[in-house]
Structures are given as C-alpha cells and as structure tokens.
Amino acid sequence: PNEMALACGRLRPDLVYAIIMANGNLTATGAALFSASQPVGIAGGSAQSNLATGAALTSATLQAAIAAMMAFRENGVGVNQPATHILVPPVLRGTAYNLLESQNIAAGAGTTNSGETNPVASIQRDDGKINVVTDHRLVNGVVDPNTGTAYSGSASTWRLVSNRLPTIEVAYLRGSGRAPQVRQYMLDKGQWGIGWDVNLDIGAKALEWRGFYESRA
C-alpha cells in the first residue's frame, strides 16, 4: 500500500511533465506547444515564437524570454503577462537563483566600480517574483503514464511559465475527492492472504501556448 501511495503521488507530475517534454500539437492551433511559428497574433503580423535555440541560461537570454512572453498577442491584443515561474533542471538551479535574486551583477573587465544593479531583480520588483521550480524529470526524462512513451530530459533546457494565463489543466473524476481509491480484498481459490488495488482517475491537457516559453542551449 505504501508503494501504491508513492506511485499515485508521482502520477500527476508525470502527466504534466510528459506533456511539456513531448511538445505535442495543441488542438486549438495545430502547432506544437513550443514552436518558433506560433499563430500570428494580429492581421498582417509575423508568426510568434515561444521557442529559442542556442540560448543557454544567462541574464541576457532570461531578459529576452521575459520580454517575449509579455509581447505575445491574442486576437491583436497583447497579453502583457509576466513570467511567474522558471523550470530548470537541478544543475541550473543555482544559476537561476543567482540570476533572479542577486541584487547586483559583477562589473565588466576594465571597470573600477564594484558592480551594477541586476536588471532581472528590478524586473521582478515591477512585475512580481519569478519562482524557481526544479525536478529530476527535467534531466532524467519521464514516461507518459497514458501511452508509456519515454521522453528524454536535458541538462541545459529551461522554460518560463506564467500561471496568469491558461497552461496545463489537470482534472479529476467528479466524486473521487481528487484522491486515490484503495481497496482491500481477501485472496481465495487456493491462495491465502490479503491484497490491495488502487485507482486514481486523473487527466491533464495543455490548453494554451502563451503561458510558456522554452529555451534550448
């Protein structure tokens, strides 16, 4: 029973991370969740992008990603929503905290001052804190509980998320209490002892791309 409980606890994050790492097409647009060719947000405009390549996690690439998310358009209107979370593999966790929480950055070579204000910290004072989220699945990969498909992780890919926009919806069967249903039964037909089985009715689906931004080094 304890192992069943642990397996149920892994089910929700496995579903969500599998959606993120599979990068499947969205029903509404037909484009991938992360794509450099998202639908045009205004008549006559160019395609939008929530995917960057060759962009390791630095102050410059983080600022560019934050700015890109705020500039996303829907039906010609800018969403103007800031990032609220950054998803990083464990190896980038310290880098993320340094970029987000340091009040100053080191001065460049040949300068005499001790440093300058960290612009990412100033952005957060204006727009709200960006929370660091890390998980082993981001580097180790994950197996989709629905399909059994394995998706590889990456030690250098990082993502921004805004929970002020629709992202991934997680739903449970009504009446289940959002909790596993565990049954105990007696073994019979020549077997002795007791057994357990467990059921958790849960599903997840990506709804919208504008709340996400992915950067691959």
Side-chain angles (χ1 to χ4, degrees):
N2 290 338
E3 292 177 354
M4 289 179 175
L6 292 173
C8 288
R10 294 192 296 267
L11 185 55
R12 177 183 173 126
D14 281 352
L15 284 168
V16 172
Y17 281 107
I19 290 173
I20 292 174
M21 297 164 71
N23 196 29
N25 291 344
L26 297 173
T27 303
T29 65
L33 178 61
F34 302 103
S35 172
S37 298
Q38 297 291 3
V40 176
I42 187 172
S46 58
Q48 304 182 85
S49 173
N50 68 337
L51 174 64
T53 56
L57 182 57
T58 65
S59 179
T61 58
L62 179 56
Q63 291 179 64
I66 293 171
M69 286 192 71
M70 294 195 72
F72 288 154
R73 304 178 303 274
E74 183 177 14
N75 298 324
V77 178
V79 297
N80 200 39
Q81 294 298 334
T84 58
H85 296 77
I86 182 170
L87 307 183
V88 294
V91 70
L92 292 181
R93 192 178 190 181
T95 301
Y97 279 120
N98 276 333
L99 293 174
L100 293 170
E101 299 187 0
S102 297
Q103 294 304 305
N104 297 93
I105 57 177
T111 59
T112 57
N113 60 313
S114 59
E116 59 184 25
T117 300
N118 178 9
V120 178
S122 301
I123 289 171
Q124 291 179 91
R125 284 194 294 270
D126 293 339
D127 299 340
K129 180 177 175 59
I130 299 175
N131 299 284
V132 177
V133 178
T134 190
D135 192 279
H136 74 90
R137 296 170 181 84
L138 293 171
V139 66
N140 292 336
V142 65
V143 175
D144 188 334
N146 280 327
T147 66
T149 303
Y151 297 103
S152 300
S154 169
S156 58
T157 297
W158 53 278
R159 301 167 178 91
L160 288 180
V161 181
S162 175
N163 65 8
R164 303 183 189 183
L165 295 166
T167 53
I168 295 176
E169 182 78 14
V170 177
Y172 297 84
L173 183 67
R174 182 177 296 173
S176 67
R178 299 187 178 187
Q181 310 298 310
V182 181
R183 298 183 301 184
Q184 181 181 356
Y185 56 89
M186 300 297 298
L187 300 179
D188 59 4
K189 296 181 176 62
Q191 295 178 309
W192 296 90
I194 57 176
W196 292 266
D197 60 14
V198 61
N199 180 65
L200 178 59
D201 290 299
I202 182 175
K205 185 174 180 62
L207 302 180
E208 173 63 79
W209 62 269
R210 292 175 182 85
F212 291 100
Y213 189 95
E214 180 174 281
S215 186
R216 304 171 188 170

